[in-house]
Amino acid sequence: MQVVRPGPLTTVRGLGRRGVAHLGVPRAGALDGPALGAANRLVGNGPAAAGLETTLGGVALRALGPVLIAVTGAPAPVTVDGRTAAWGAPVAVPAGAVVAVDAATAGVRGYLAVAGGIAVPPVLGSRSADLLSGLGPAPLTAGDRLPVGTPSPYRDRADPVPLPAPPAELVLRLRLGPRADWFAPSAVDRLARDGYRVSATSNRIGLRTEGPAVDRAPEGELPSEGMVLGAVQIPPDRQPVVFLADHPTTGCYPVIGVVPAADPAAAAQAQPGTPVRFVLLRKR
C-alpha cells in the first residue's frame, strides 16, 4: 500500500516491545490495544500483526494490489475511491483504489488493519514505532510504501466486534504506591475527590491532566527508578501524568499510584478537555 495522505500522526503499531526495559527501551505498541486487536480479528490476522494507528486526522492509502482492511478505534468516515465503506467491518479494496479514513468524529486514535499485516522489518522483536527512542519505522509520510504480509488462507467469517465508545468521562482506577508516602493523606483524598481534565499537551508518552495541585509532603527529588505502564507521576507542576505506551523506563518524580493495565486503553481515546476521575483502590 502507498501513502497518499499521512494524516497528522500515523504510525505502525503492534503489541509493542516486551522484556527490553532494562535496555532503556519503552514498550511502545498500540495505545488502544483492544481496538487494534479487533481490527486484526476482522481481517483474519493473529493478535501480533502490525497495523496503523492514526491520530485525529485519519489517513489515505492506495492499494497496490487487492487487500482486505478494517478500521476500528476512534469512529470516523471510511471511503473507498470516494464511496462510503463500513467502519468496524471487513472492507475489500481493489487494486489501485484509495481507502481513506477521515477525521475522527469522536475519540482520538483509529486503527487500520490489513489482512497479512503491515510487514515492515521488526526491531527488537516488534514492528511498532517508538516516538521516544526513535526505534522502528518513522511516522508515515506521503509517498511511503508499506509492505503487506501474506494473508492467512484460513479465515473464519468475522463476527462484529463490540468496542466501548470514546469516554465522555475518563474513569481511572488507582492503586496507591510505591511513593504515596511522599504525599499528605489529604492530598491523596483530594486526588480522588477533585475533578481533572485531559490536557491538550497529552501524547503517547503520557496523559497529562489539568486540575487542583497534588501537593507533596517531603520536598526534593528521588533517585531515578523504574516506571511502568499506568504509573501516575506527580512532576513539579503538581499535575498528575498517567504514563502510556511510550513512557520512559525510568523517572525521578514520585509515583503516587498505578492505574491497572486494563484502564489505559480508554485514555487513548480521551480528547483534550475530557473530564478525568481517579478512583482509589483501597487495600482490603
Side-chain angles (χ1 to χ4, degrees):
M1 304 185 79
Q2 187 171 33
V3 179
V4 176
R5 171 173 56 83
L9 177 63
T10 302
T11 51
V12 178
R13 296 289 164 192
L15 297 178
R17 295 176 178 84
R18 309 300 173 96
V20 289
H22 65 291
L23 301 176
V25 177
R27 178 183 302 193
L31 280 193
D32 190 343
L36 175 61
N40 273 325
R41 290 196 298 275
L42 288 168
V43 297
N45 290 340
L52 298 180
E53 180 183 272
T54 65
T55 308
L56 291 173
V59 68
L61 308 165
R62 186 180 303 279
L64 303 181
V67 294
L68 183 71
I69 65 100
V71 179
T72 62
V78 180
T79 60
V80 175
D81 276 350
R83 297 183 178 181
T84 300
W87 178 93
V91 175
V93 181
V98 173
V99 56
V101 182
D102 290 339
T105 58
V108 178
R109 293 172 177 89
Y111 294 86
L112 186 150
V114 55
I118 303 296
V120 296
V123 178
L124 291 178
S126 174
R127 294 182 167 89
S128 293
D130 179 349
L131 302 184
L132 187 64
S133 71
L135 291 174
L140 269 55
T141 59
D144 286 349
R145 290 196 172 202
L146 298 172
V148 176
T150 302
S152 170
Y154 306 106
R155 190 175 71 85
D156 295 332
R157 181 176 178 179
D159 294 325
V161 180
L163 287 171
E169 178 188 43
L170 180 61
V171 179
L172 298 174
R173 295 173 295 166
L174 185 67
R175 289 193 176 96
L176 293 179
R179 298 299 178 185
D181 58 345
W182 274 57
F183 303 90
S186 59
V188 174
D189 292 339
R190 195 178 307 118
L191 176 65
R193 184 184 69 241
D194 294 340
Y196 291 82
R197 291 187 178 276
V198 175
S199 168
T201 60
S202 298
N203 55 27
R204 285 186 46 87
I205 295 171
L207 180 91
R208 295 183 176 274
T209 66
E210 299 172 341
V214 181
D215 293 324
R216 299 183 188 177
E219 293 299 327
E221 299 300 342
L222 290 160
S224 288
E225 54 189 5
M227 293 291 147
V228 298
L229 178 69
V232 179
Q233 199 179 61
I234 309 297
D237 67 2
R238 307 301 197 255
Q239 300 294 300
V241 178
V242 184
F243 274 172
L244 301 180
D246 283 0
H247 69 83
T249 57
T250 62
C252 60
Y253 300 139
V255 172
I256 194 170
V258 178
V259 173
D263 291 7
Q269 303 299 353
Q271 293 183 335
T274 299
V276 179
R277 179 161 54 92
F278 293 98
V279 177
L280 297 186
L281 297 177
R282 303 285 187 180
K283 293 182 179 179
R284 295 182 178 179

